[in-house]
Amino acid sequence: MAAPQHLPPGTLIAGKYELEGLLGEGGMGAVYQATNLAIGRRVAIKILHAAVADREDVRRRFEMEAKAAAVISHPGIVDVLDMGQTDEGEPFIVMEHLEGMTLRSLNKEFKGLTPEQSVGVMLPVLDALAAAHRAGVIHRDVKPANIFVCAKPQVVKLLDFGVSRFGASSGLTNTGTAVGTPRYMAPEQVLGESDLGPEADLYSVGAVLYSLLSGRLPHGSGSDMALLARTLHDTPAALASITTGLPPALCDLVDSLLLKDRAKRPKDATAVKEALKQCVPATDLGVLYNAAIRTARASALAPTPSRSSTAMPSAHSSAAGTRRTTSSSPPRASSGTSNCSTWPRARSASSGACRTTALTRRRARRRPSRRATSANSSRCIWSSACRRIPSPTSSASPSAS
């Protein structure tokens, strides 16, 4: 497949959305920052790559992401504002523009969150999941990279419903096909069962909490196939056995979310939220929001090559940020990380955040035209697939979250 080509700044989409630059991309699509010229609102536009735009299954999943947001209609879900096709026939979705950091990035920045912060950030996620489940939507890809701590407004949002399932079946995934992220998938999801319920998403919530509270993934690290096998056959070590100082009730609740038998797992996101609130005192997430604000202020858009230029490297996963695997062909191994180093920024090795240095600021002043396309922008991560264009001098490293 030929490398995807990017739309340059100034491109007009649907006669009213003017692109300002590339926010990130994946194997199936790219996300651009844009402005709705009719009302002056900044938005994010996800556009499918031309190479996959003709695939019916990809287009239907793309449409499903927009439909999920409309059906759920919850402040903890990214709002989809519009959808359509470019002049070349490539489908696009217009979403609200977010400024802040993913939970994955925050966990790296702080080198681990406190139990109060870990639980506090998951409470609004459970609220969003409860709304989704009431609407008959199963997310199927709850993970730190899909949990976004917004700087403005100060809210936590659940991202990426691109592989979600409506009702008993979406009609897009064959039985026996696993869809999701191996580190956080429930056993029934690994098996590709067609009747996934809320307990599958709550297993993923348990896996996220387990990793935040212990610094370890429930089934360790390794290749995707190894993780899938351990998810099916092994029981994670009890949380209390690998960490100290946590309330016993919290450990028991997280362990119950990770039970292999789906019938024994909690099935109500609201009930899990209330149980978590009983385990750990409420905490102010101001420290996390402040970190998200600092990152939003320090970040900038990636330079966008024209359609005739050589495309930058893309992520290993689809625009939905997940990998689709079957038992007959092992999935490609991935570190599960995303890169956020783009010109004119330098990456801080200790924090994982993007910081503008004096050197790059001087270079920016000598390049007014490039700087103009990057100014007044923010970091906006919609999925692990829409990762930043890597810097030749820095790279991301695997994280337990």
Side-chain angles (χ1 to χ4, degrees):
M1 180 186 297
Q5 297 177 335
H6 303 118
L7 296 168
T11 300
L12 202 60
I13 302 294
K16 59 181 176 179
Y17 300 109
E18 183 176 24
L19 301 189
E20 297 174 356
L22 180 70
L23 288 171
E25 69 167 333
M28 296 293 180
V31 179
Y32 298 86
Q33 181 173 293
T35 295
N36 184 330
L37 298 178
I39 59 176
R41 177 175 181 174
R42 177 163 288 168
V43 296
I45 301 184
K46 183 185 289 187
I47 304 176
L48 278 183
H49 290 320
V52 297
D54 291 335
R55 285 177 48 183
E56 182 62 24
D57 60 328
V58 174
R59 294 176 73 99
R60 288 179 64 190
R61 284 198 188 281
F62 203 66
E63 294 168 0
M64 186 175 294
E65 183 172 2
K67 180 181 177 182
V71 167
I72 300 167
S73 186
H74 187 273
I77 305 294
V78 177
D79 196 10
V80 174
L81 309 173
D82 195 5
M83 65 184 302
Q85 291 188 2
T86 67
D87 292 341
E88 290 76 22
E90 301 160 354
F92 68 83
I93 296 175
V94 181
M95 303 171 285
E96 64 176 314
H97 185 273
L98 302 181
E99 298 180 348
M101 299 176 73
T102 63
L103 177 58
R104 179 183 176 278
S105 296
L106 276 171
N107 194 42
K108 290 178 65 178
E109 171 113 356
F110 285 87
K111 297 181 174 60
L113 305 183
T114 67
E116 292 78 14
Q117 291 170 338
S118 300
V119 170
V121 80
M122 293 305 293
L123 296 181
V125 173
L126 286 162
D127 262 340
L129 283 175
H133 296 162
R134 287 194 296 271
V137 179
I138 308 300
H139 188 281
R140 297 203 297 180
D141 200 24
V142 178
K143 58 184 178 182
N146 280 342
I147 297 169
F148 199 86
V149 179
C150 300
K152 292 181 181 181
Q154 293 188 350
V155 66
V156 178
K157 287 184 179 275
L158 182 61
L159 310 181
D160 201 353
F161 279 78
V163 295
S164 59
R165 178 182 292 272
F166 284 75
S169 176
S170 66
L172 294 176
T173 306
N174 296 327
T175 300
T177 301
V179 176
T181 301
R183 293 180 175 187
Y184 304 98
M185 288 168 63
E188 63 270 22
Q189 203 171 339
V190 173
L191 292 172
E193 294 182 4
S194 61
D195 60 340
L196 294 182
E199 63 272 16
D201 282 344
L202 294 178
Y203 182 100
S204 299
V205 168
V208 172
L209 280 168
Y210 189 101
S211 66
L212 292 175
L213 295 168
S214 70
R216 293 172 48 178
L217 291 162
H219 296 288
S221 58
S223 69
D224 288 347
M225 290 301 289
L227 287 170
L228 297 177
R230 288 198 290 269
T231 299
L232 289 176
H233 302 295
D234 299 343
T235 299
L239 185 57
S241 70
I242 60 172
T243 188
T244 58
L246 295 177
L250 176 60
C251 294
D252 291 343
L253 177 58
V254 173
D255 290 341
S256 71
L257 293 171
L258 294 173
L259 291 173
K260 283 193 293 185
D261 187 349
R262 60 187 292 186
K264 297 179 180 179
R265 262 182 254 142
K267 295 177 175 58
D268 187 302
T270 301
V272 173
K273 174 191 170 184
E274 294 304 317
L276 280 174
K277 290 168 65 176
Q278 297 299 317
C279 294
V280 177
T283 186
D284 182 8
L285 297 179
V287 173
L288 303 186
Y289 289 128
N290 288 338
I293 291 172
R294 289 195 303 272
T295 296
R297 288 173 178 172
S299 60
L301 284 172
T304 309
S306 67
R307 277 190 174 268
S308 60
S309 64
T310 302
M312 296 293 184
S314 63
H316 294 307
S317 51
S318 71
T322 62
R323 278 154 288 166
R324 182 176 182 181
T325 64
T326 63
S327 56
S328 60
S329 58
R332 157 171 36 189
S334 171
S335 66
T337 64
S338 53
N339 224 321
C340 62
S341 290
T342 56
W343 188 95
R345 293 169 294 151
R347 186 179 179 85
S348 167
S350 60
S351 67
C354 298
R355 298 289 184 263
T356 304
T357 65
L359 175 61
T360 55
R361 283 197 295 270
R362 289 196 296 273
R363 288 176 177 171
R365 285 194 291 270
R366 292 198 296 269
R367 296 179 174 91
S369 61
R370 290 180 70 179
R371 189 184 183 193
T373 64
S374 302
N376 301 321
S377 59
S378 65
R379 179 183 182 191
C380 176
I381 300 178
W382 298 100
S383 72
S384 60
C386 297
R387 70 179 186 177
R388 296 281 183 174
I389 296 172
S391 162
T393 59
S394 64
S395 60
S397 57
S399 165
S401 60

